[in-house]
C-alpha cells in the first residue's frame, strides 16, 4: 500500500508516486494522504472553495477517481507557488507566440518551471522579430560556482563599454533566463556598429549537486556554459536578416537542452510551422547519419531539434495527396504531423459559434475566402469584439506539446478522471468524479499572471481542461468481451456496433455536460468569465500508472506486459523497487565498447536504470479476453474510437497516438482527409509506425508477455521480495533531497515518443 491511505492496486503505483509526486519534507517523504491534503489546501485558498466542495474533492482524490494536474499534485499548496512570478509552475500546458525576444525568454522560464511549451512559428508572427544586425563574439565563459553561497548574486547584471559586454549571470531561474534573453537582444541592439565582444561570468551560479530550494531537485548547470556560444552561433548565421523558422526553433531548443541536461528536467515542446514551410518540414530529416564504418552520429548543428514535436499548420483543407504524403512520412520517420487550423479556431470560439451549422459556416468562409474574411464575418455578427480581441480569437490554434489544448499565448491546467476506478453503473459516482475535476481546474482561473500577454489572453479566453484516463478499461467493464471482439473486427457499423457506439456517446456526452455545469457554476458564483471549452483528453502517461489505467482513450499495449520505468542509477526509489522484488536492468543508453547493451546495473559504465514491473490489466482474466490480440487492432478502429471521443466529449482536441502498419497508410489518410472535408472535428493526431517484431527493439517501455510469462515473472517478484512495505524499503535508502522535480510538462512520456523515434 502507498503509505497511509489507499490500496496500491497498480504495480507501478509506488515507484511512480514516490519518484514523481511525493515531496521531501523535514519529517520525510509525503504519504499519499499528505499530498492530497497539501494540494487541497492550496486549491481551497486559491479558489475560495467551501467545505462541501473540498470534501468532494478529498473523497475523489483519496479514491484516486479524480486527480488535479500532475504539476498541482507536486507543487500545489507550497509557499513557492503562492508567489506571482511562479504561478506558471502550476500549469501543464502553455503556448507562446514568437513575436519578440521576450517570447524566447518566457519559454525558457516556463520550461524551467516544468511547463510544456508550445510555439506557433509561422511567418505572420516571426516576421515581427527584429533583424539580426550584430555579430556576437563570445570570447569567454567562466567556470561555474566559484563564488561562496553567501556571496552569490541572484539577478543577472551586465555592463557595456564600447563594443565590449560583460554579463554576470545570477544564481536563480530568472538569472539564467535573463542572460539568455540578453544575447538575443544584443544581436539587434542598434547601439553597436561592429562586432559585440561578450564575456560571461558564471561564478555565481551554484554548482552541480546543490539543492534547488522551493521548486525542488538539484542544480545541474552542466550545459549552461555551452549555451552562450551555441546561441551566438545561430544568431550570427542570420546576420543582416530576420531569423528563419528553423533558427527560431533551434534557439528555443538550445535553451531546452540546457534545462534538461542530466535528466533533472524533462522537456516537452510543440513547434507549429506553416504548411508551405519546406525547410521546417524537413528540419529533422537525416538527423542521424551513418559513416563508412557503420557508426551512427547525430548532426551536432541540429541535435537540439529533438527537444520538440513539429507540426505543419494547414489553413485550408489539404488534398488527399498531401494528407497521404504526410501519413507516409510519419510512418517512415515519426515526423510530418499536420494540423487543420480552421477546426481548432472554430472550437476555440465556441461562445460565438454556438451551433454545428455556425461552426461549419465559419470554416467554409475561412477555407474558401481566407482568414481576413472569416474575421470580418465574426465581427459582423459580433460588433462588440475589438480588433485586438478578434486577432486573438483568430490565433487560437496554438497547441501544447501533446496537442490536447487549443489557444493563443495560453496557460491551461488539466485535471484527470480515472475511469478505471469507477463503476459503469454508478452514474452518481461518475458525476462526482467529473465535478471534482471541474472544480480542480476552475480554481486556477483566479491566478493573475505577472506577464501582460498571458494576463490579457486569460481575460479574453479563460480555458481549462478536464481529461480522463482508462476509457478503454471502463468500456471493457461496461460492455464485456463482446466489445473487445467488436474492436478486433475493426469496430464495424453492424447493429451491435451501432448500439455500442450509441452507448459510448451517451457516456461521453454525459461527462462533458457534467464538466461544463461544474466549471460554469463555479465561474458564475465567483464572478469569473466562463471558459468556452472545458474538456480534453491528455495522453496521461504518468498519472495513469498510479491506478494502472490504459492511458487516455488508448487501448493498452496488451493484456499483460512488462512496464519499464527509468530512474537514475542508485536512485533511492529504484533501490526500494529492488527490495520490493522488481528486477533492474541498465537503460538502452548504457552500452559497452562494442555497442552492446550492458546487463549489470551496477557496472561502472551504467548511468541509468530501468525498473521492470510485470503488469496485468484489470480485465485480463475476463472470459474470452485473452483471445483478443490488442496488438492487431487496426488503425481504422483506433481512428474511429478517437473520433468518438473528439466528437462527443472533447471541446479542445484529443491527444492521440494512432499506431499503424504500412498497409494502413492509404485508408488512414483517406479517413483523415474525409474527416477534414466533412467537418467531423479532426484537428491533429500523432501517427506512429507499428512493427510486429517486438524483439527488434530491446528494453522498450512496454513489452507484451503471455499469461504464463506474467505468472512466472510475478512469482519471481514475490520470491525476491524482502519486504511487503514499499515505504519501509524506501526509508533505508532515502537520504538527501529529491533529484526529480515533479512531473514533466504535460505529465506524460507520450509527448517524448517522436523524440525517441528520431534517436
Amino acid at each position: 500500500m502507498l503509505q497511509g491511505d489507499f490500496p496500491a492496486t497498480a504495480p507501478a503505483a509506488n515507484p511512480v508516486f514516490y519518484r514523481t509526486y511525493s515531496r521531501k519534507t523535514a519529517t520525510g517523504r509525503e504519504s499519499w494522504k499528505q499530498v492530497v491534503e497539501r494540494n487541497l489546501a492550496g486549491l481551497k485558498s486559491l479558489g475560495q472553495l467551501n467545505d462541501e466542495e473540498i470534501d468532494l474533492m478529498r473523497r475523489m482524490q483519496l479514491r484516486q477517481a479524480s486527480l488535479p494536474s500532475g504539476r498541482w499534485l507536486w507543487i500545489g499548496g507550497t509557499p513557492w507557488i503562492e508567489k506571482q512570478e511562479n504561478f506558471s509552475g502550476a500549469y501543464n500546458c502553455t503556448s507562446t507566440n514568437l513575436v519578440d525576444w521576450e517570447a524566447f525568454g518566457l519559454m525558457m522560464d516556463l520550461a524551467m518551471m516544468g511547463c510544456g511549451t508550445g510555439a506557433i512559428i509561422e511567418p505572420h508572427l516571426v516576421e515581427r522579430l527584429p533583424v539580426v544586425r550584430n555579430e556576437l563574439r563570445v570570447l569567454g565563459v567562466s567556470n561555474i560556482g566559484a563564488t561562496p553561497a553567501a556571496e552569490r548574486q541572484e539577478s543577472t547584471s551586465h555592463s557595456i563599454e564600447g563594443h565590449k559586454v560583460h554579463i554576470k549571470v545570477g544564481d536563480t531561474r530568472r538569472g539564467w533566463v535573463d542572460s539568455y534573453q540578453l544575447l538575443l537582444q544584443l544581436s539587434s541592439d542598434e547601439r553597436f556598429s561592429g562586432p559585440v565582444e561578450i564575456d560571461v561570468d558564471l561564478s555565481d551560479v551554484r554548482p552541480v549537486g546543490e539543492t534547488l530550494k522551493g521548486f525542488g531537485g538539484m542544480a545541474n548547470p552542466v550545459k549552461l556554459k555551452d549555451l552562450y556560444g551555441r546561441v551566438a552561433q545561430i544568431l550570427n548565421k542570420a546576420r543582416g536578416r530576420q531569423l528563419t523558422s528553423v533558427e527560431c526553433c533551434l534557439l528555443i531548443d538550445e535553451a531546452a537542452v540546457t534545462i534538461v541536461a542530466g535528466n533533472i528536467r524533462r522537456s516537452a515542446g510543440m513547434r507549429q510551422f506553416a504548411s508551405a514551410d519546406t525547410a521546417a518540414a524537413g528540419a529533422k530529416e537525416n538527423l542521424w547519419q551513418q559513416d563508412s564504418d557503420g557508426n551512427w552520429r547525430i548532426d551536432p548543428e541540429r541535435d537540439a531539434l529533438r527537444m520538440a514535436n513539429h507540426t505543419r499548420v494547414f489553413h485550408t483543407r489539404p488534398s488527399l495527396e498531401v494528407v497521404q504524403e504526410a501519413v507516409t512520412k510519419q510512418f517512415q520517420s515519426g515526423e510530418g504531423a499536420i494540423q487543420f487550423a480552421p477546426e481548432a479556431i472554430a472550437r476555440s470560439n465556441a461562445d460565438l459559434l454556438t451551433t454545428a451549422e455556425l461552426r461549419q459556416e465559419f470554416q467554409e468562409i475561412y477555407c474558401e475566402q481566407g482568414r481576413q474574411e472569416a474575421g470580418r464575418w465574426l465581427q459582423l455578427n459580433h460588433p462588440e469584439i475589438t480588433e485586438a480581441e478578434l486577432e486573438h480569437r483568430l490565433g487560437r490554434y496554438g497547441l501544447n506539446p501533446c496537442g490536447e489544448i487549443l489557444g493563443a499565448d495560453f496557460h491551461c491546467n488539466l485535471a484527470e478522471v480515472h475511469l478505471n476506478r469507477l463503476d459503469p453503473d454508478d452514474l452518481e459516482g461518475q458525476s462526482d468524479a467529473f465535478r471534482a475535476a471541474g472544480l480542480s481546474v476552475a480554481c486556477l482561473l483566479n491566478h493573475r499572471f505577472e506577464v501582460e500577454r498571458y494576463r490579457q489572453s486569460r481575460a479574453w479566453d479563460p480555458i481549462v481542461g478536464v481529461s480522463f484516463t482508462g476509457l478503454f478499461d471502463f468500456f471493457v467493464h461496461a460492455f464485456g468481451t463482446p466489445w473487445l471482439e467488436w474492436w478486433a473486427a475493426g469496430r464495424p457499423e453492424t447493429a451491435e456496433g451501432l448500439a455500442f457506439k450509441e452507448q459510448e456517446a451517451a457516456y461521453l456526452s454525459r461527462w462533458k455536460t457534467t464538466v461544463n455545469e461544474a466549471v460554469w457554476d463555479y465561474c458564475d458564483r465567483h464572478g469569473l468569465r466562463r471558459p468556452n471549452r472545458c474538456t480534453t483528453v491528455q495522453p496521461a502517461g504518468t498519472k495513469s500508472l498510479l491506478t494502472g489505467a490504459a492511458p487516455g482513450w488508448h487501448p493498452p499495449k496488451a493484456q499483460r506486459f512488462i512496464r519499464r520505468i527509468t530512474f537514475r542509477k542508485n536512485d533511492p526509489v529504484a533501490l526500494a523497487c529492488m527490495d520490493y522484488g522488481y528486477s533492474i536492468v541498465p537503460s538502452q543508453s548504457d552500452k559497452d565498447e562494442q555497442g552492446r547493451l550492458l546487463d549489470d546495473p551496477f557496472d561502472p559504465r551504467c548511468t541509468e536504470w530501468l525498473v521492470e514491473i510485470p503488469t496485468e490489466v484489470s480485465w485480463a482474466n475476463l472470459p474470452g479476453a485473452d483471445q483478443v490480440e490488442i496488438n492487431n487492432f487496426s488503425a481504422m478502429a483506433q481512428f474511429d474510437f478517437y473520433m468518438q471521443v473528439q466528437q462527443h466529449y472533447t471541446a479542445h482536441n484529443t491527444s492521440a497516438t494512432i499506431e499503424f502498419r504500412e498497409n494502413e497508410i492509404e485508408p488512414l489518410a483517406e479517413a483523415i482527409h474525409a474527416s477534414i472535408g466533412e467537418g467531423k472535428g479532426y484537428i491533429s493526431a500523432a501517427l506512429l509506425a507499428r512493427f510486429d517484431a517486438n524483439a527488434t527493439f530491446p528494453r522498450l517501455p512496454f513489452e507484451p508477455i503471455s499469461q504464463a510469462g506474467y505468472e512466472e515473472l510475478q512469482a519471481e517478484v514475490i520470491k525476491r521480495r524482502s519486504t511487503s512495505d514499499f515505504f519501509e524499503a524506501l526509508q533505508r535508502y532515502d537520504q538527501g533531497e529529491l533529484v526529480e522535480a515533479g512531473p514533466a510538462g504535460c505529465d506524460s512520456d507520450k509527448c517524448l515518443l517522436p523524440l525517441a523515434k528520431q534517436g
Side-chain angles (χ1 to χ4, degrees):
M1 295 176 67
L2 287 185
Q3 184 73 4
D5 27 69
F6 73 95
T9 53
N14 278 305
V16 169
F17 171 66
Y18 288 113
R19 181 195 70 170
T20 315
Y21 303 112
S22 172
R23 298 184 69 87
K24 198 79 177 290
T25 70
T27 56
R29 298 261 185 164
E30 290 176 317
S31 68
W32 177 251
K33 187 173 183 180
Q34 288 171 323
V35 168
V36 168
E37 293 304 325
R38 168 175 53 73
N39 88 74
L40 283 176
L43 289 174
K44 183 176 183 179
S45 174
L46 178 63
Q48 302 172 47
L49 297 171
N50 60 43
D51 290 342
E52 182 181 351
E53 291 168 329
I54 287 293
D55 287 344
L56 169 66
M57 295 162 72
R58 178 182 291 112
R59 180 160 51 89
M60 291 297 101
Q61 284 197 35
L62 289 175
R63 281 183 54 195
Q64 287 192 307
S66 180
L67 300 177
S69 69
R71 300 238 50 79
W72 193 260
L73 280 177
W74 167 253
I75 206 68
T78 65
W80 185 87
I81 200 59
E82 294 177 1
K83 299 176 181 177
Q84 188 184 34
E85 65 266 25
N86 298 332
F87 284 171
S88 295
Y91 293 82
N92 314 64
C93 305
T94 68
S95 180
T96 305
N97 290 339
L98 289 183
V99 295
D100 52 24
W101 293 137
E102 184 189 29
F104 289 85
L106 290 172
M107 291 185 69
M108 183 178 186
D109 195 38
L110 291 167
M112 290 187 77
M113 285 188 274
C115 303
T117 59
I120 301 176
I121 314 181
E122 289 185 286
H124 73 280
L125 294 174
V126 297
E127 284 172 358
R128 293 160 62 179
L129 292 170
V131 169
V132 176
R133 62 187 306 276
N134 303 319
E135 179 187 353
L136 303 183
R137 296 178 181 174
V138 179
L139 301 183
V141 182
S142 78
N143 290 326
I144 291 167
T147 306
E151 301 173 20
R152 289 175 191 154
Q153 174 178 300
E154 292 193 352
S155 300
T156 287
S157 61
H158 73 280
S159 60
I160 300 176
E161 295 181 12
H163 62 277
K164 297 180 182 295
V165 179
H166 174 76
I167 303 173
K168 190 173 180 63
V169 181
D171 184 38
T172 56
R173 180 185 86 236
R174 192 69 239 176
W176 287 32
V177 171
D178 287 346
S179 67
Y180 162 74
Q181 187 175 321
L182 178 58
L183 252 65
L184 305 178
Q185 293 166 337
L186 289 172
S187 74
S188 60
D189 194 324
E190 295 182 359
R191 289 177 293 179
F192 299 97
S193 58
V196 182
E197 296 182 350
I198 302 167
D199 71 275
V200 182
D201 183 354
L202 298 179
S203 59
D204 282 0
V205 175
R206 72 190 66 187
V208 174
E210 280 199 22
T211 303
L212 299 176
K213 300 297 183 184
F215 192 77
M218 295 284 186
N220 196 39
V222 294
K223 287 286 187 179
L224 181 61
K225 191 171 181 178
D226 298 332
L227 175 66
Y228 305 99
R230 298 288 298 164
V231 167
Q233 185 179 32
I234 295 166
L235 290 167
N236 287 341
K237 288 182 179 180
R239 188 166 165 241
R241 57 173 173 81
Q242 291 174 305
L243 294 167
T244 66
S245 57
V246 175
E247 288 166 342
C248 288
C249 193
L250 280 166
L251 285 171
I252 301 168
D253 293 341
E254 286 294 349
V257 167
T258 304
I259 294 163
V260 303
N263 240 7
I264 301 308
R265 294 279 190 278
R266 290 178 292 157
S267 176
M270 172 68 78
R271 313 289 177 250
Q272 294 166 258
F273 302 101
S275 59
D277 189 341
T278 55
K284 292 189 186 180
E285 290 179 357
N286 301 314
L287 199 58
W288 288 88
Q289 298 167 1
Q290 198 171 23
D291 64 22
S292 57
D293 296 324
N295 300 311
W296 288 93
R297 66 182 290 274
I298 194 166
D299 180 355
E301 299 298 315
R302 296 185 294 145
D303 189 5
L305 292 175
R306 293 186 297 156
M307 301 307 296
N309 298 318
H310 292 184
T311 291
R312 297 164 65 201
V313 181
F314 285 80
H315 291 277
T316 58
R317 295 185 179 94
S319 67
L320 176 58
E321 291 73 22
V322 168
V323 175
Q324 187 160 326
E325 180 186 355
V327 174
T328 302
K329 187 173 182 180
Q330 287 174 88
F331 181 83
Q332 295 168 343
S333 69
E335 293 295 332
I338 64 173
Q339 179 196 11
F340 182 52
E343 174 69 30
I345 298 168
R347 285 179 173 237
S348 299
N349 285 278
D351 54 327
L352 306 184
L353 307 174
T354 54
T355 66
E357 291 75 21
L358 283 172
R359 288 193 294 275
Q360 189 63 28
E361 185 175 356
F362 170 81
Q363 289 190 49
E364 288 300 326
I365 295 171
Y366 193 104
C367 290
E368 300 300 326
Q369 301 179 47
R371 181 179 188 270
Q372 191 172 6
E373 283 302 315
R376 284 199 190 101
W377 181 82
L378 274 181
Q379 215 163 22
L380 181 66
N381 290 283
H382 299 276
E384 73 280 4
I385 298 175
T386 65
E387 288 293 332
E389 182 179 345
L390 179 65
E391 185 65 23
H392 188 277
R393 284 180 174 274
L394 293 174
R396 293 177 186 173
Y397 56 94
L399 293 170
N400 68 309
C402 294
E404 73 268 23
I405 299 299
L406 305 171
D409 281 332
F410 67 77
H411 283 58
C412 192
N413 182 51
L414 282 76
E416 189 171 77
V417 173
H418 285 237
L419 293 168
N420 58 316
R421 304 285 288 185
L422 301 176
D423 183 344
D425 295 324
D426 182 7
L427 299 185
E428 183 179 352
Q430 294 164 38
S431 176
D432 285 348
F434 280 95
R435 283 195 300 118
L439 288 169
S440 295
V441 292
C443 288
L444 269 68
L445 292 175
N446 289 287
H447 275 148
R448 182 173 171 80
F449 296 115
E450 184 179 46
V451 177
E452 170 62 23
R453 73 186 75 193
Y454 299 140
R455 190 164 60 242
Q456 181 60 72
S457 178
R458 170 154 288 182
W460 281 327
D461 189 32
I463 52 175
V464 297
V466 173
S467 179
F468 56 64
T469 192
L471 180 66
F472 193 92
D473 306 315
F474 181 90
F475 282 151
V476 173
H477 289 297
F479 307 133
T481 306
W483 188 76
L484 283 174
E485 294 169 342
W486 174 57
W487 257 86
R491 292 175 56 95
E493 292 196 346
T494 58
E496 180 189 45
L498 290 172
F500 279 142
K501 294 187 79 166
E502 186 177 336
Q503 293 175 81
E504 290 172 352
Y507 276 115
L508 293 165
S509 300
R510 188 185 306 116
W511 299 334
K512 181 177 184 176
T513 298
T514 301
V515 171
N516 287 340
E517 289 175 349
V519 173
W520 292 344
D521 173 69
Y522 174 90
C523 290
D524 291 348
R525 287 186 289 111
H526 291 266
L528 299 170
R529 183 171 181 169
R530 288 183 172 190
N532 69 23
R533 53 204 186 282
C534 301
T535 52
T536 188
V537 181
Q538 64 184 132
T542 308
K543 272 190 295 180
S544 292
L545 295 173
L546 294 175
T547 61
W553 65 268
H554 301 85
K557 293 294 183 182
Q559 285 87 336
R560 299 170 188 85
F561 50 86
I562 299 172
R563 181 65 168 96
R564 296 184 176 93
I565 301 175
T566 304
F567 292 84
R568 65 185 175 89
K569 185 178 181 179
N570 293 318
D571 185 289
V573 179
L575 291 168
C577 287
M578 192 177 294
D579 286 0
Y580 201 65
Y582 295 142
S583 61
I584 292 178
V585 297
S587 77
Q588 288 177 315
S589 60
D590 291 320
K591 303 177 178 67
D592 65 15
E593 292 75 12
Q594 283 75 45
R596 296 171 298 197
L597 289 174
L598 299 177
D599 293 318
D600 179 7
F602 294 101
D603 188 306
R605 296 167 293 183
C606 179
T607 60
E608 283 187 327
W609 284 354
L610 298 175
V611 174
E612 299 186 319
I613 303 175
T615 303
E616 180 180 70
V617 300
S618 59
W619 45 268
N621 296 307
L622 283 178
D626 265 339
Q627 303 307 309
V628 176
E629 179 53 63
I630 293 175
N631 196 48
N632 287 337
F633 284 166
S634 70
M636 297 307 297
Q638 297 170 62
F639 186 81
D640 180 71
F641 191 47
Y642 153 63
M643 291 305 296
Q644 274 280 86
V645 176
Q646 182 79 342
Q647 291 170 338
H648 298 290
Y649 177 78
T650 300
H652 283 276
N653 188 38
T654 304
S655 181
T657 301
I658 296 173
E659 300 184 24
F660 66 117
R661 294 175 172 84
E662 190 168 11
N663 67 336
E664 296 177 306
I665 291 174
E666 189 171 325
L668 184 55
E670 290 172 351
I672 292 171
H673 180 259
S675 178
I676 292 173
E678 297 166 18
K680 292 183 178 179
Y682 181 87
I683 296 175
S684 182
L687 309 180
L688 187 66
R690 169 178 274 172
F691 301 98
D692 295 313
N694 292 316
T696 304
F697 305 100
R699 300 180 188 175
L700 288 171
F702 294 90
E703 181 183 330
I705 53 177
S706 65
Q707 181 175 1
Y710 168 79
E711 291 172 352
E712 181 180 346
L713 289 173
Q714 191 61 19
E716 292 176 4
V717 169
I718 301 301
K719 184 178 179 180
R720 288 192 299 264
R721 184 171 289 170
S722 61
T723 178
S724 59
D725 188 329
F726 191 93
F727 185 73
E728 178 187 57
L730 180 57
Q731 287 178 308
R732 299 174 192 164
Y733 306 105
D734 204 6
Q735 305 295 323
E737 293 288 332
L738 277 173
V739 171
E740 286 284 355
C746 296
D747 194 30
S748 173
D749 294 336
K750 267 186 173 289
C751 295
L752 307 180
L753 277 175
L755 312 187
K757 178 80 176 176
Q758 292 298 325

